[in-house]
Amino acid sequence: MSREIDSREIDKLDEPQALPTTARLSLGLTGAAIPTREQLRFQLDHALARDAVHTLLDIPALLHGLQQRGRAGFVLRSAIEGESRQKGRHLYLRRPDLGRTLHPDFAQALRDYAASTPEKPDVAFILVDGLSALAIERHALPLLDALLPTLDDHSSLAPICIVSQGRVAIGDEIGHLLGAKLVVLMIGERPGLSSPDSLGVYITWNPLPGRTDAERNCVSNIRQEGLSYNDAAQRIAFYMKEARRLETTGIALKETSAPESSRVSD
Amino acid sequence: MPYSHTVRGMKHTFADLRTLLAKASPLRSGDQLAGIAASGAEERVIAQMTLAELPLSVFTNEAVVPYETDAVTRLIIDSHDPQAFAPIAGLSIGEFRDWLLSDEATSERLAGLSIMPEMAAAVSKLMRVQDLIQVARKISVVSRFRTTVGLPGRLSTRLQPNHPTDDPLGIAASILDGLRLGSGDAVIGINPVSDSVASVTHLLRLIDHVRLRYSIPTQSCVLAHVTTQMEAMQQGAPLDLLFQSIAGTEAANASFGVSLELLDEAHAMARELRRGGLDGETGGENVFYFETGQGSALSANAHHKVDQQTLEARAYAVARRYKPMLVNTVVGFIGPEYLYDGKQILRAGLEDHFCGKLLGLPMGCDICYTNHAEADQDDMDALLTMLGAAGVNYIMGVPGADDIMLNYQSTSFHDALYLRRLLGLRPAPEFEAWLAGEGFHQLQRLGQPAALLPPEVAQ
């Protein structure tokens, strides 16, 4: 039998909070186990992440926020629609394909809108709950506030779409139906243990159903402890400008001097 | 070719072998997403009854993915050894289960077994969790680099010190924390954020520096794409283990940017470095570290309507070709659309471990889940304990089970200590000896992770 690891023989790290990491270090040992305080901290973080996944988007609050900013909102739902609220969330987790498609009624509504609006928009902003409605509720409007003033005044914007039970690729269908040249889609990212409200932004030129993630650019980890609104806005504005200049997004745009971009995930 | 079976006077027919396998597969969301799962519990059991009656040799006649268009199928068929298969060739799949569980199937006989991955997958579908544990426990697959991993009564760990920006000091802090808790005898392996050659090389140098400075018997790995690691090797990076994700079809591997030819080339290059070796030998043959996981082929739209568990077993045929040091099924990482909850993750982890061992692979498991799966720490404890009982070669060691780069929960340094204590398991012998020595003692007394950094990084 080998000797057990003994906590009494391990010296504490000097100022662990000063280290450039949020890893759960120096947790201590009781027997072989994690002591109670750290055990419960983990459980609370997991509870927050779980609740974030299952929280449903507060659409009236978002519409109200847009109205205060003098912006029109267009409410859409994915093909998950038709199920009860919580059942819908469980279906959403099992069927990513349905989350990438608009419900037919809402696709029709969008088609009708586009038919009644002769001028095609340059940019469509789309807010999608994704895996964290909390991320959209906390960060989408402040990020728009930081981003919109930096954009070229001449570009025309579609009404801001709000989508529930959606995934990243639903932006392709929406952008296509609107006839938009560029889609900027904000979505709640999969909650991490210490980041229940992380927002991701995907920029796609010439949106069409069937686009792959390689054809998008992504700015992720937008949250209080992560990327700030101003930094995120700067990167997004950069991608939007480059997308218009090169008439493409994705890999072709990646090698430029953009501030570091992140992994694509959905 | 269709397969029929009569149950209680009713005849049931399944269109072909892949349909039968899919319907016989225990329930999981990925097969439902692919539209190939059994329509209900009854159809599933009838499919299992039908499968149990088929001869094992059915797989030598009918491929689930066409031979002509799939390199993994060609690898499986062309490397099948009829002579080694002969002793069990006459068994049905149901009889094969009975034989595996019987006292006749000793460790020695199981070690000499030669079967196709689809046979392992098929028999696993007839097995309960205790069967998967019981049979796997009889098989030990040992691999060697600077440590010997997989010996009976041993449990090793991969120390996984990931960091969201590859910060060297942040990574060093996690390495220090893990080493002090006895983690890292299978490998110190970092998932890098950046796939650049420079970044991979820096991280390899960091691990190598720590290893040499404190005389730690272990090996390094930076889990970048294989082509990036090849470039790093060419530029002189101190690479020990070569990493790549693999899957069970040619098209799925293509989506990972790899082919058998590329893996052959990388393998030869890493062996050429001759960095491993124990007991005076240099250049051990176990240099690959593979990761797999059910659902990857479907997520790449490359599943050929074959169920995800059978495809996972086929990935092991790719791994087997290279006599790897480590194979890791990252079981709960892929998300609930493939493995919905703790129950599905638990069974999948045990299936993968069983199939891998039966096919002669040094299986470890990343016992893990994401926050959108219906799973929690209790589910992981159950799988951890069962895999320990099944004789898993190694598990992950992540600070507090929280991977702050990949945003999922794996097993902690503490989890490995729990399992070792509970089941009386010990680390790899070389590492165990190191734990009793000066290098380890020094690390336990260290307050500053910066002391781990190579001089060129520290300043």
Side-chain angles (χ1 to χ4, degrees):
Chain A
M1 193 67 213
S2 62
R3 219 166 55 90
E4 304 287 358
I5 301 283
D6 186 343
S7 61
R8 287 164 304 184
E9 292 172 6
I10 304 177
D11 283 1
K12 289 230 175 311
L13 293 181
D14 305 339
E15 295 186 56
Q17 65 282 357
L19 291 168
T21 179
T22 55
R24 290 168 201 254
L25 302 175
S26 280
L27 301 184
L29 266 179
T30 171
I34 294 174
T36 305
R37 178 200 288 261
E38 282 298 332
Q39 163 59 18
L40 290 176
R41 181 168 75 97
F42 182 103
Q43 293 298 83
L44 179 61
D45 287 340
H46 185 234
L48 291 172
R50 295 286 296 152
D51 285 349
V53 168
H54 289 278
T55 298
L56 299 172
L57 192 60
D58 186 349
I59 294 171
L62 272 178
L63 284 172
H64 181 68
L66 286 174
Q67 200 182 20
Q68 283 178 327
R69 289 160 173 83
R71 303 262 168 201
F74 203 120
V75 176
L76 298 167
R77 294 184 196 279
S78 77
I80 303 286
E81 174 68 2
E83 298 291 336
S84 70
R85 282 162 64 91
Q86 272 314 322
K87 206 174 152 204
R89 203 62 188 155
H90 286 281
L91 185 64
Y92 173 83
L93 292 173
R94 283 170 181 268
R95 292 291 304 273
D97 53 326
L98 297 180
R100 296 185 192 117
T101 320
L102 280 174
H103 185 278
D105 294 352
F106 290 91
Q108 191 54 49
L110 206 55
R111 227 172 265 124
D112 294 344
Y113 167 82
S116 69
T117 319
E119 199 203 339
K120 299 296 168 219
D122 293 316
V123 185
F125 284 98
I126 306 175
L127 317 183
V128 186
D129 54 359
L131 285 165
S132 173
L134 197 61
I136 289 291
E137 286 170 17
R138 285 192 184 157
H139 307 309
L141 296 180
L143 179 59
L144 278 174
D145 290 341
L147 177 62
L148 289 177
T150 70
L151 299 182
D152 172 10
D153 284 336
H154 302 295
S155 49
S156 61
L157 305 188
I160 294 174
C161 296
I162 301 169
V163 189
S164 56
Q165 310 280 27
R167 304 244 175 196
V168 171
I170 202 165
D172 297 336
E173 184 181 2
I174 296 169
H176 181 61
L177 289 176
L178 285 169
K181 292 196 188 85
L182 186 67
V183 155
V184 178
L185 180 140
M186 305 185 180
I187 189 165
E189 297 183 320
R190 190 182 83 199
L193 207 55
S194 308
S195 53
D197 65 338
S198 181
L199 185 77
V201 177
Y202 292 80
I203 301 121
T204 312
W205 178 259
N206 188 14
L208 270 178
R211 288 261 181 258
T212 68
D213 285 339
E215 297 172 289
R216 316 182 199 286
N217 293 98
C218 172
V219 177
S220 87
N221 196 30
I222 302 165
R223 60 191 174 103
Q224 188 147 32
E225 304 77 11
L227 193 62
S228 71
Y229 300 138
N230 281 334
D231 288 349
Q234 222 177 8
R235 290 188 200 184
I236 296 163
F238 169 85
Y239 282 128
M240 291 176 69
K241 197 168 135 232
E242 286 297 288
R244 275 194 291 259
R245 185 171 71 84
L246 300 169
E247 306 206 329
T248 185
T249 44
I251 290 162
L253 250 173
K254 277 193 174 166
E255 297 303 318
T256 65
S257 58
E260 250 193 32
S261 86
S262 304
R263 287 170 304 131
V264 168
S265 65
D266 178 23
Chain B
M1 160 182 157
Y3 297 91
S4 297
H5 189 60
T6 302
V7 179
R8 296 180 188 170
M10 184 95 103
K11 189 177 168 188
H12 302 269
T13 302
F14 299 90
D16 51 26
L17 200 49
R18 66 176 181 181
T19 306
L20 179 61
L21 284 167
K23 300 214 180 243
S25 215
L27 178 66
R28 62 208 57 197
S29 50
D31 292 337
Q32 291 179 312
L33 180 63
I36 57 175
S39 56
E42 185 191 6
E43 191 188 24
R44 179 167 301 109
V45 180
I46 287 168
Q48 289 168 350
M49 288 172 155
T50 310
L51 190 61
E53 297 292 317
L54 291 185
L56 264 183
S57 58
V58 70
F59 293 105
T60 60
N61 305 321
E62 185 177 342
V64 292
V65 181
Y67 181 92
E68 295 71 25
T69 55
D70 189 274
V72 178
T73 302
R74 290 196 291 279
L75 172 65
I76 292 167
I77 305 260
D78 297 349
S79 63
H80 182 60
D81 179 353
Q83 220 168 351
F85 177 60
I88 53 165
L91 300 181
S92 69
I93 296 167
E95 289 165 345
F96 185 44
R97 172 185 171 275
D98 293 340
W99 181 80
L100 287 170
L101 287 161
S102 75
D103 294 335
E104 240 179 84
T106 58
S107 298
E108 295 71 40
R109 294 197 68 183
L110 287 170
L113 211 58
S114 173
I115 60 167
M116 292 178 170
E118 289 89 347
M119 297 172 187
V123 75
S124 80
K125 295 181 196 300
L126 308 181
M127 295 171 96
R128 288 167 51 189
V129 154
Q130 64 164 263
D131 303 344
L132 298 170
I133 294 172
Q134 183 76 31
V135 177
R137 190 185 171 88
K138 293 199 269 186
I139 309 169
S140 67
V141 181
V142 178
S143 59
R144 296 143 64 87
F145 198 86
R146 294 191 195 97
T147 53
T148 308
V149 173
L151 291 168
R154 307 274 175 173
L155 172 76
S156 296
T157 54
R158 163 187 166 190
L159 204 173
Q160 182 173 313
N162 296 342
H163 188 277
T165 60
D166 293 339
D167 184 274
L169 185 54
I171 287 172
S174 289
I175 292 179
L176 177 60
D177 204 46
L179 287 171
R180 281 144 67 111
L181 292 174
S183 182
D185 53 334
V187 61
I188 299 177
I190 305 170
N191 297 84
V193 178
S194 162
D195 200 80
S196 76
V197 176
S199 167
V200 168
T201 304
H202 281 308
L203 294 175
L204 284 169
R205 288 217 176 102
L206 167 59
I207 303 171
D208 210 47
H209 176 77
V210 176
R211 177 181 75 79
L212 291 170
R213 170 143 189 207
Y214 297 96
S215 312
I216 310 167
T218 189
Q219 30 281 334
S220 67
C221 188
V222 174
L223 288 74
H225 191 264
V226 71
T227 51
T228 311
Q229 296 169 85
M230 288 165 83
E231 259 190 85
M233 274 190 276
Q234 277 163 341
Q235 296 180 17
L239 179 145
D240 290 338
L241 299 187
L242 182 64
F243 167 80
Q244 183 54 46
S245 288
I246 52 170
T249 67
E250 180 180 343
N253 284 317
S255 82
F256 290 150
V258 298
S259 63
L260 295 178
E261 293 72 28
L262 180 65
L263 294 177
D264 286 352
E265 196 188 327
H267 183 235
M269 204 187 259
R271 286 204 62 185
E272 192 78 355
L273 298 180
R274 307 183 70 79
R275 290 177 57 84
L278 278 165
D279 308 326
E281 62 172 327
T282 48
E285 63 176 354
N286 310 131
V287 297
F288 244 126
Y289 171 8
F290 289 118
E291 284 192 351
T292 66
Q294 292 189 26
S296 59
L298 175 59
S299 92
N301 205 9
H303 63 294
H304 299 267
K305 293 192 173 159
V306 178
D307 71 88
Q308 65 185 35
Q309 192 260 330
T310 299
L311 290 178
E312 171 72 7
R314 282 169 52 97
Y316 303 155
V318 177
R320 180 163 72 168
R321 174 179 175 87
Y322 302 100
K323 299 192 174 65
M325 176 70 190
L326 306 166
V327 179
N328 177 22
T329 168
V330 191
V331 66
F333 186 72
I334 192 161
E337 61 267 44
Y338 302 93
L339 293 168
Y340 186 65
D341 56 14
K343 184 177 169 69
Q344 294 186 7
I345 292 171
L346 181 131
R347 182 167 169 106
L350 292 165
E351 287 168 348
D352 295 352
H353 177 255
F354 161 82
C355 287
K357 284 280 173 76
L358 200 57
L359 292 164
L361 291 173
M363 290 303 292
C365 182
D366 190 344
I367 298 159
C368 64
Y369 64 106
T370 57
N371 288 316
H372 61 323
E374 290 290 320
D376 60 20
Q377 291 300 96
D378 290 345
D379 296 305
M380 298 305 108
D381 287 346
L383 179 55
L384 171 69
T385 309
M386 288 186 197
L387 278 170
V392 70
N393 282 25
Y394 71 102
I395 59 172
M396 306 305 117
V398 177
D402 173 12
D403 189 309
I404 56 172
M405 193 286 257
L406 293 171
N407 274 330
Y408 77 121
Q409 283 89 255
S410 180
T411 43
S412 64
F413 306 135
H414 299 72
D415 288 330
L417 295 179
Y418 149 78
L419 202 58
R420 281 179 181 159
R421 204 177 261 220
L422 180 78
L423 300 176
L425 303 171
R426 299 153 61 181
E430 302 81 6
F431 197 83
E432 188 179 27
W434 177 78
L435 289 175
E438 188 47 36
F440 178 61
H441 192 68
Q442 234 179 314
L443 282 173
Q444 286 203 311
R445 291 277 173 250
L446 204 60
Q448 301 273 9
L452 265 56
L453 296 176
E456 72 268 20
V457 179
Q459 44 90 23

